[in-house]
Amino acid sequence: MSIVGTRKIWYLFSAILVLGSLAAWLGWGLKPGIEFTGGSLVELKFQKAPTGGELRDLFKASGVESANVVISPASISVRASLITPEIHAKILTALKEKDANFSELRFDAIGPSISAELRQRAVTAVTLTLITVFLYVAWAYRKVSGRVRAWKYGALVVFAGLHDAIIPVGVFAALGHFKGVEIDGAFVAAILTILGYSINDTIIIFDRIRENMLKLGGEVAVIVEKSVKQSIMRSINTTATVLLALLAIYIFGGSTTQNFALALFIGIASGAYSSIFLASPLIVSWQKKNA
């Protein structure tokens, strides 16, 4: 099968994934955790769990006007406005009276100014990453700019990275809408990791294209097809080992790492696909369009 020859099929498949992800993102939005909105999160574990209504009443009696309670088999999470140390102490005392053997698994309290700074830093980190990668790739590929301009390689690397980041964002927008899954700092770290992995995977194949461009003659389409087939098994094997590790983390790692592992699994699988079936064929399409 010719990957370059069937590139319109891959373009269509990517368009469906990206447009679906953008529709979910723009339509439902991501559900931000307290790191981005400010507030408090308390995660509790009981031998005999109280009802959600009982917990809301307990928090209200301690000075928390409204609390959102999420009950899962492993623990109970309570999200509320910012809880001061004094109110937190009252809550713990009231919980001990209800169940002396309860345990507090997690308590996070983040003010609105800190959450706003985290949002800004997350956007800045992603933007600077993409700009730096574009400039570096455009400079590194300057020697093969005779057939395909060097800046186009940089643009395609960034495009593939965005493609791979948007898809997990869309999935988590849907999970937030239907399952109440929130995003936090770990999700931002996952997106940056996905960008790094996608860029690395794309550059591995682009490097083979660059090498063949310098030593082989003939059409760009033939060189790209040859380069992709020389690199495809290495890319698939590397990705498969990473995905197996992420799958193990998702299954056995516990609730604190599941969303991180899921985001990475989706993004890295997408990165392997885009570097082979999207970014490389786009070199040919862009070159032919400007020929």
Side-chain angles (χ1 to χ4, degrees), residues 120-170:
Q120 182 181 3
R121 287 188 175 185
V123 173
T124 301
V126 173
T127 303
L128 288 178
T129 297
L130 294 175
I131 292 173
T132 304
V133 167
F134 169 78
L135 294 174
Y136 171 74
V137 174
W139 176 82
Y141 283 70
R142 66 194 185 280
K143 292 184 179 180
V144 292
S145 61
R147 300 189 187 185
V148 179
R149 300 295 297 274
W151 67 268
K152 292 182 180 180
Y153 289 98
L156 290 176
V157 168
V158 171
F159 177 78
L162 286 173
H163 169 278
D164 302 330
I166 287 171
I167 292 172
V169 167

Side-chain angles (χ1 to χ4, degrees), residues 19 48 62 69 81 88 109 155 182 193 203 210 212 234 246 264 273:
L19 291 176
K48 184 179 179 181
S62 301
V69 180
S81 56
H88 181 229
E182 298 177 345
T193 305
I203 287 179
R210 176 175 62 173
N212 288 335
R234 176 184 176 186
L246 289 173
L264 283 179
Y273 161 78

Side-chain angles (χ1 to χ4, degrees), residues 24 31 47 61-62 110 182 185 249-250 255 278:
K31 188 173 183 179
Q47 287 188 344
S62 301
I110 297 179
E182 298 177 345
I249 293 172
Y250 180 79
S255 59
L278 181 64

